[in-house]
Amino acid sequence: FLFFASTGLAARARSSPSSLAPRGRGSTMDALLGLQRLSLVQKICSELKNHIGVDDKTLAEFIIELAQENSTLPAFMRALDENGAEFPEDFASTLLHLVQTMAPRKRPAPSAPAASAAASSSSGPTERFSGLAIPNADPERLRKLEEE
């Protein structure tokens, strides 16, 4: 398994621009996404070290990129093989599963027309926040409790 690291895959990983590179400062959500990416990279590094004895962050990022581009196991295995990594199917499956479960997902921003329509709607707070518009107690039950 060390063959691929010394030949092609590690070199291709270093030449590939990573989608996991840290981005500029932004909101707290961006920071959280960055931490999730780092956690994923660390987990993939750990798996690579445990299975093949290679601990390379760049290689882990490249494998994550391949897994994100190839979401099915056969496609992921094919992409790994094309790049010189001949992983056993169970190890490739583990890597793919880790990427699919741990990869940060950006929440879609609400579209401008939908957001403005919700904000400018003529519905009162009772309709927009129906759960908060429920009375705390039944007036009749309150009266009975006060009598006791």
Side-chain angles (χ1 to χ4, degrees):
F1 291 111
L2 292 177
F3 172 74
F4 83 90
S6 64
T7 58
L9 188 58
R12 286 187 197 100
R14 285 183 181 85
S15 67
S16 172
S18 176
S19 63
L20 300 173
R23 291 177 175 84
R25 291 187 177 185
S27 69
T28 304
M29 193 56 124
D30 290 340
L32 181 62
L33 290 173
L35 287 174
Q36 288 176 333
R37 277 192 297 276
L38 289 174
S39 175
L40 175 60
V41 169
Q42 181 60 36
K43 183 65 176 173
I44 297 296
C45 281
S46 173
E47 289 295 320
L48 288 171
K49 176 125 177 121
N50 290 340
H51 287 274
I52 59 174
V54 175
D55 187 13
D56 185 1
K57 180 183 171 223
T58 307
L59 180 61
E61 289 177 347
F62 185 68
I63 289 173
I64 292 167
E65 187 176 314
L66 287 178
Q68 289 174 334
E69 292 172 359
N70 303 285
S71 60
T72 64
L73 183 58
F76 181 57
M77 292 276 301
R78 190 172 30 258
L80 287 172
D81 287 341
E82 288 171 358
N83 286 288
E86 297 174 1
F87 293 142
E89 185 174 343
D90 59 335
F91 181 52
S93 173
T94 300
L95 293 175
L96 181 62
H97 178 71
L98 283 172
V99 172
Q100 289 175 343
T101 56
M102 292 182 68
R105 291 174 183 82
K106 289 188 178 180
R107 288 187 166 175
S111 62
S116 65
S120 67
S121 68
S122 62
S123 66
T126 303
E127 291 178 14
R128 289 191 348 215
F129 305 107
S130 59
L132 297 175
I134 298 172
N136 289 338
D138 182 23
E140 214 170 296
R141 181 170 177 228
L142 267 174
R143 189 178 46 80
K144 286 181 184 179
L145 289 172
E146 288 175 357
E147 289 174 4
E148 294 177 358

PDB file of all heavy atoms in Angstrom, residues 94-117:
ATOM      1  N   THR A  94     -15.175   2.577   3.866  1.00  0.00           N
ATOM      2  CA  THR A  94     -15.056   3.300   5.132  1.00  0.00           C
ATOM      3  C   THR A  94     -14.714   4.763   4.889  1.00  0.00           C
ATOM      4  O   THR A  94     -15.313   5.669   5.494  1.00  0.00           O
ATOM      5  CB  THR A  94     -13.976   2.656   6.024  1.00  0.00           C
ATOM      6  OG1 THR A  94     -14.347   1.299   6.278  1.00  0.00           O
ATOM      7  CG2 THR A  94     -13.804   3.395   7.325  1.00  0.00           C
ATOM      8  N   LEU A  95     -13.761   5.016   4.004  1.00  0.00           N
ATOM      9  CA  LEU A  95     -13.375   6.397   3.694  1.00  0.00           C
ATOM     10  C   LEU A  95     -14.550   7.178   3.103  1.00  0.00           C
ATOM     11  O   LEU A  95     -14.814   8.315   3.504  1.00  0.00           O
ATOM     12  CB  LEU A  95     -12.191   6.422   2.732  1.00  0.00           C
ATOM     13  CG  LEU A  95     -10.860   5.904   3.267  1.00  0.00           C
ATOM     14  CD1 LEU A  95      -9.825   5.872   2.148  1.00  0.00           C
ATOM     15  CD2 LEU A  95     -10.381   6.746   4.434  1.00  0.00           C
ATOM     16  N   LEU A  96     -15.247   6.566   2.167  1.00  0.00           N
ATOM     17  CA  LEU A  96     -16.391   7.228   1.533  1.00  0.00           C
ATOM     18  C   LEU A  96     -17.475   7.527   2.563  1.00  0.00           C
ATOM     19  O   LEU A  96     -18.039   8.629   2.593  1.00  0.00           O
ATOM     20  CB  LEU A  96     -16.947   6.371   0.397  1.00  0.00           C
ATOM     21  CG  LEU A  96     -18.125   6.950  -0.381  1.00  0.00           C
ATOM     22  CD1 LEU A  96     -17.731   8.237  -1.077  1.00  0.00           C
ATOM     23  CD2 LEU A  96     -18.635   5.937  -1.389  1.00  0.00           C
ATOM     24  N   HIS A  97     -17.736   6.571   3.438  1.00  0.00           N
ATOM     25  CA  HIS A  97     -18.755   6.764   4.469  1.00  0.00           C
ATOM     26  C   HIS A  97     -18.359   7.904   5.419  1.00  0.00           C
ATOM     27  O   HIS A  97     -19.199   8.729   5.794  1.00  0.00           O
ATOM     28  CB  HIS A  97     -18.968   5.471   5.249  1.00  0.00           C
ATOM     29  CG  HIS A  97     -19.954   5.599   6.361  1.00  0.00           C
ATOM     30  ND1 HIS A  97     -21.304   5.740   6.148  1.00  0.00           N
ATOM     31  CD2 HIS A  97     -19.784   5.638   7.702  1.00  0.00           C
ATOM     32  CE1 HIS A  97     -21.916   5.864   7.300  1.00  0.00           C
ATOM     33  NE2 HIS A  97     -21.021   5.795   8.266  1.00  0.00           N
ATOM     34  N   LEU A  98     -17.103   7.954   5.801  1.00  0.00           N
ATOM     35  CA  LEU A  98     -16.637   9.038   6.673  1.00  0.00           C
ATOM     36  C   LEU A  98     -16.840  10.395   6.019  1.00  0.00           C
ATOM     37  O   LEU A  98     -17.310  11.340   6.666  1.00  0.00           O
ATOM     38  CB  LEU A  98     -15.156   8.846   7.017  1.00  0.00           C
ATOM     39  CG  LEU A  98     -14.838   7.800   8.065  1.00  0.00           C
ATOM     40  CD1 LEU A  98     -13.333   7.591   8.156  1.00  0.00           C
ATOM     41  CD2 LEU A  98     -15.401   8.200   9.414  1.00  0.00           C
ATOM     42  N   VAL A  99     -16.480  10.490   4.755  1.00  0.00           N
ATOM     43  CA  VAL A  99     -16.627  11.774   4.055  1.00  0.00           C
ATOM     44  C   VAL A  99     -18.097  12.155   3.949  1.00  0.00           C
ATOM     45  O   VAL A  99     -18.475  13.305   4.186  1.00  0.00           O
ATOM     46  CB  VAL A  99     -15.964  11.732   2.663  1.00  0.00           C
ATOM     47  CG1 VAL A  99     -16.282  12.977   1.861  1.00  0.00           C
ATOM     48  CG2 VAL A  99     -14.460  11.543   2.804  1.00  0.00           C
ATOM     49  N   GLN A 100     -18.944  11.191   3.628  1.00  0.00           N
ATOM     50  CA  GLN A 100     -20.355  11.502   3.451  1.00  0.00           C
ATOM     51  C   GLN A 100     -21.036  11.880   4.763  1.00  0.00           C
ATOM     52  O   GLN A 100     -21.956  12.687   4.765  1.00  0.00           O
ATOM     53  CB  GLN A 100     -21.082  10.328   2.802  1.00  0.00           C
ATOM     54  CG  GLN A 100     -20.708  10.145   1.359  1.00  0.00           C
ATOM     55  CD  GLN A 100     -21.316   8.906   0.727  1.00  0.00           C
ATOM     56  OE1 GLN A 100     -21.769   8.001   1.418  1.00  0.00           O
ATOM     57  NE2 GLN A 100     -21.322   8.866  -0.590  1.00  0.00           N
ATOM     58  N   THR A 101     -20.570  11.317   5.873  1.00  0.00           N
ATOM     59  CA  THR A 101     -21.216  11.634   7.147  1.00  0.00           C
ATOM     60  C   THR A 101     -20.596  12.824   7.860  1.00  0.00           C
ATOM     61  O   THR A 101     -21.287  13.538   8.579  1.00  0.00           O
ATOM     62  CB  THR A 101     -21.204  10.428   8.096  1.00  0.00           C
ATOM     63  OG1 THR A 101     -19.869   9.980   8.299  1.00  0.00           O
ATOM     64  CG2 THR A 101     -22.056   9.302   7.554  1.00  0.00           C
ATOM     65  N   MET A 102     -19.296  13.047   7.680  1.00  0.00           N
ATOM     66  CA  MET A 102     -18.618  14.100   8.429  1.00  0.00           C
ATOM     67  C   MET A 102     -18.395  15.387   7.648  1.00  0.00           C
ATOM     68  O   MET A 102     -18.044  16.403   8.243  1.00  0.00           O
ATOM     69  CB  MET A 102     -17.268  13.594   8.936  1.00  0.00           C
ATOM     70  CG  MET A 102     -17.368  12.525   9.986  1.00  0.00           C
ATOM     71  SD  MET A 102     -15.747  12.002  10.582  1.00  0.00           S
ATOM     72  CE  MET A 102     -15.196  13.480  11.441  1.00  0.00           C
ATOM     73  N   ALA A 103     -18.565  15.352   6.345  1.00  0.00           N
ATOM     74  CA  ALA A 103     -18.304  16.544   5.530  1.00  0.00           C
ATOM     75  C   ALA A 103     -19.270  17.659   5.909  1.00  0.00           C
ATOM     76  O   ALA A 103     -20.473  17.419   6.065  1.00  0.00           O
ATOM     77  CB  ALA A 103     -18.433  16.223   4.043  1.00  0.00           C
ATOM     78  N   PRO A 104     -18.760  18.861   6.092  1.00  0.00           N
ATOM     79  CA  PRO A 104     -19.652  19.973   6.448  1.00  0.00           C
ATOM     80  C   PRO A 104     -20.590  20.294   5.290  1.00  0.00           C
ATOM     81  O   PRO A 104     -20.206  20.240   4.134  1.00  0.00           O
ATOM     82  CB  PRO A 104     -18.701  21.128   6.723  1.00  0.00           C
ATOM     83  CG  PRO A 104     -17.426  20.772   6.073  1.00  0.00           C
ATOM     84  CD  PRO A 104     -17.375  19.276   5.994  1.00  0.00           C
ATOM     85  N   ARG A 105     -21.796  20.580   5.653  1.00  0.00           N
ATOM     86  CA  ARG A 105     -22.792  20.940   4.648  1.00  0.00           C
ATOM     87  C   ARG A 105     -23.196  22.384   4.891  1.00  0.00           C
ATOM     88  O   ARG A 105     -23.575  22.749   5.995  1.00  0.00           O
ATOM     89  CB  ARG A 105     -24.012  20.045   4.762  1.00  0.00           C
ATOM     90  CG  ARG A 105     -23.729  18.631   4.364  1.00  0.00           C
ATOM     91  CD  ARG A 105     -24.953  17.758   4.651  1.00  0.00           C
ATOM     92  NE  ARG A 105     -24.698  16.384   4.339  1.00  0.00           N
ATOM     93  CZ  ARG A 105     -24.066  15.535   5.127  1.00  0.00           C
ATOM     94  NH1 ARG A 105     -23.605  15.929   6.285  1.00  0.00           N
ATOM     95  NH2 ARG A 105     -23.874  14.274   4.766  1.00  0.00           N
ATOM     96  N   LYS A 106     -23.136  23.164   3.841  1.00  0.00           N
ATOM     97  CA  LYS A 106     -23.562  24.558   3.964  1.00  0.00           C
ATOM     98  C   LYS A 106     -25.074  24.598   3.891  1.00  0.00           C
ATOM     99  O   LYS A 106     -25.686  23.944   3.061  1.00  0.00           O
ATOM    100  CB  LYS A 106     -22.969  25.411   2.845  1.00  0.00           C
ATOM    101  CG  LYS A 106     -21.496  25.626   3.001  1.00  0.00           C
ATOM    102  CD  LYS A 106     -20.999  26.616   1.987  1.00  0.00           C
ATOM    103  CE  LYS A 106     -19.528  26.868   2.183  1.00  0.00           C
ATOM    104  NZ  LYS A 106     -19.017  27.832   1.221  1.00  0.00           N
ATOM    105  N   ARG A 107     -25.645  25.401   4.781  1.00  0.00           N
ATOM    106  CA  ARG A 107     -27.085  25.590   4.743  1.00  0.00           C
ATOM    107  C   ARG A 107     -27.416  26.543   3.609  1.00  0.00           C
ATOM    108  O   ARG A 107     -26.766  27.578   3.454  1.00  0.00           O
ATOM    109  CB  ARG A 107     -27.587  26.176   6.047  1.00  0.00           C
ATOM    110  CG  ARG A 107     -27.536  25.186   7.169  1.00  0.00           C
ATOM    111  CD  ARG A 107     -28.194  25.784   8.370  1.00  0.00           C
ATOM    112  NE  ARG A 107     -28.444  24.749   9.336  1.00  0.00           N
ATOM    113  CZ  ARG A 107     -28.926  24.974  10.524  1.00  0.00           C
ATOM    114  NH1 ARG A 107     -29.196  26.207  10.895  1.00  0.00           N
ATOM    115  NH2 ARG A 107     -29.136  23.988  11.356  1.00  0.00           N
ATOM    116  N   PRO A 108     -28.420  26.204   2.816  1.00  0.00           N
ATOM    117  CA  PRO A 108     -28.773  27.120   1.734  1.00  0.00           C
ATOM    118  C   PRO A 108     -29.360  28.407   2.296  1.00  0.00           C
ATOM    119  O   PRO A 108     -30.171  28.383   3.212  1.00  0.00           O
ATOM    120  CB  PRO A 108     -29.820  26.340   0.925  1.00  0.00           C
ATOM    121  CG  PRO A 108     -30.374  25.333   1.874  1.00  0.00           C
ATOM    122  CD  PRO A 108     -29.270  25.034   2.852  1.00  0.00           C
ATOM    123  N   ALA A 109     -28.895  29.516   1.757  1.00  0.00           N
ATOM    124  CA  ALA A 109     -29.417  30.813   2.176  1.00  0.00           C
ATOM    125  C   ALA A 109     -30.812  30.973   1.600  1.00  0.00           C
ATOM    126  O   ALA A 109     -31.076  30.573   0.470  1.00  0.00           O
ATOM    127  CB  ALA A 109     -28.514  31.928   1.674  1.00  0.00           C
ATOM    128  N   PRO A 110     -31.728  31.550   2.365  1.00  0.00           N
ATOM    129  CA  PRO A 110     -33.072  31.742   1.823  1.00  0.00           C
ATOM    130  C   PRO A 110     -33.022  32.685   0.634  1.00  0.00           C
ATOM    131  O   PRO A 110     -32.284  33.663   0.641  1.00  0.00           O
ATOM    132  CB  PRO A 110     -33.865  32.339   2.982  1.00  0.00           C
ATOM    133  CG  PRO A 110     -32.851  32.868   3.928  1.00  0.00           C
ATOM    134  CD  PRO A 110     -31.584  32.081   3.693  1.00  0.00           C
ATOM    135  N   SER A 111     -33.811  32.377  -0.364  1.00  0.00           N
ATOM    136  CA  SER A 111     -33.823  33.218  -1.554  1.00  0.00           C
ATOM    137  C   SER A 111     -34.431  34.577  -1.201  1.00  0.00           C
ATOM    138  O   SER A 111     -35.264  34.700  -0.320  1.00  0.00           O
ATOM    139  CB  SER A 111     -34.636  32.554  -2.671  1.00  0.00           C
ATOM    140  OG  SER A 111     -35.974  32.396  -2.260  1.00  0.00           O
ATOM    141  N   ALA A 112     -33.994  35.595  -1.883  1.00  0.00           N
ATOM    142  CA  ALA A 112     -34.426  36.961  -1.584  1.00  0.00           C
ATOM    143  C   ALA A 112     -35.944  37.132  -1.680  1.00  0.00           C
ATOM    144  O   ALA A 112     -36.550  37.708  -0.795  1.00  0.00           O
ATOM    145  CB  ALA A 112     -33.705  37.946  -2.488  1.00  0.00           C
ATOM    146  N   PRO A 113     -36.600  36.634  -2.744  1.00  0.00           N
ATOM    147  CA  PRO A 113     -38.057  36.818  -2.813  1.00  0.00           C
ATOM    148  C   PRO A 113     -38.777  36.089  -1.677  1.00  0.00           C
ATOM    149  O   PRO A 113     -39.719  36.607  -1.107  1.00  0.00           O
ATOM    150  CB  PRO A 113     -38.441  36.228  -4.169  1.00  0.00           C
ATOM    151  CG  PRO A 113     -37.196  36.235  -4.977  1.00  0.00           C
ATOM    152  CD  PRO A 113     -36.078  36.089  -3.989  1.00  0.00           C
ATOM    153  N   ALA A 114     -38.333  34.908  -1.319  1.00  0.00           N
ATOM    154  CA  ALA A 114     -38.998  34.156  -0.254  1.00  0.00           C
ATOM    155  C   ALA A 114     -38.802  34.840   1.089  1.00  0.00           C
ATOM    156  O   ALA A 114     -39.719  34.920   1.904  1.00  0.00           O
ATOM    157  CB  ALA A 114     -38.462  32.733  -0.209  1.00  0.00           C
ATOM    158  N   ALA A 115     -37.620  35.346   1.341  1.00  0.00           N
ATOM    159  CA  ALA A 115     -37.336  36.009   2.614  1.00  0.00           C
ATOM    160  C   ALA A 115     -38.132  37.303   2.735  1.00  0.00           C
ATOM    161  O   ALA A 115     -38.686  37.609   3.792  1.00  0.00           O
ATOM    162  CB  ALA A 115     -35.840  36.281   2.748  1.00  0.00           C
ATOM    163  N   SER A 116     -38.176  38.080   1.654  1.00  0.00           N
ATOM    164  CA  SER A 116     -38.912  39.349   1.721  1.00  0.00           C
ATOM    165  C   SER A 116     -40.408  39.102   1.792  1.00  0.00           C
ATOM    166  O   SER A 116     -41.125  39.856   2.434  1.00  0.00           O
ATOM    167  CB  SER A 116     -38.558  40.230   0.533  1.00  0.00           C
ATOM    168  OG  SER A 116     -38.986  39.628  -0.677  1.00  0.00           O
ATOM    169  N   ALA A 117     -40.901  38.055   1.153  1.00  0.00           N
ATOM    170  CA  ALA A 117     -42.325  37.747   1.214  1.00  0.00           C
ATOM    171  C   ALA A 117     -42.717  37.336   2.625  1.00  0.00           C
ATOM    172  O   ALA A 117     -43.778  37.712   3.118  1.00  0.00           O
ATOM    173  CB  ALA A 117     -42.667  36.634   0.224  1.00  0.00           C
TER     174      ALA A 117
END
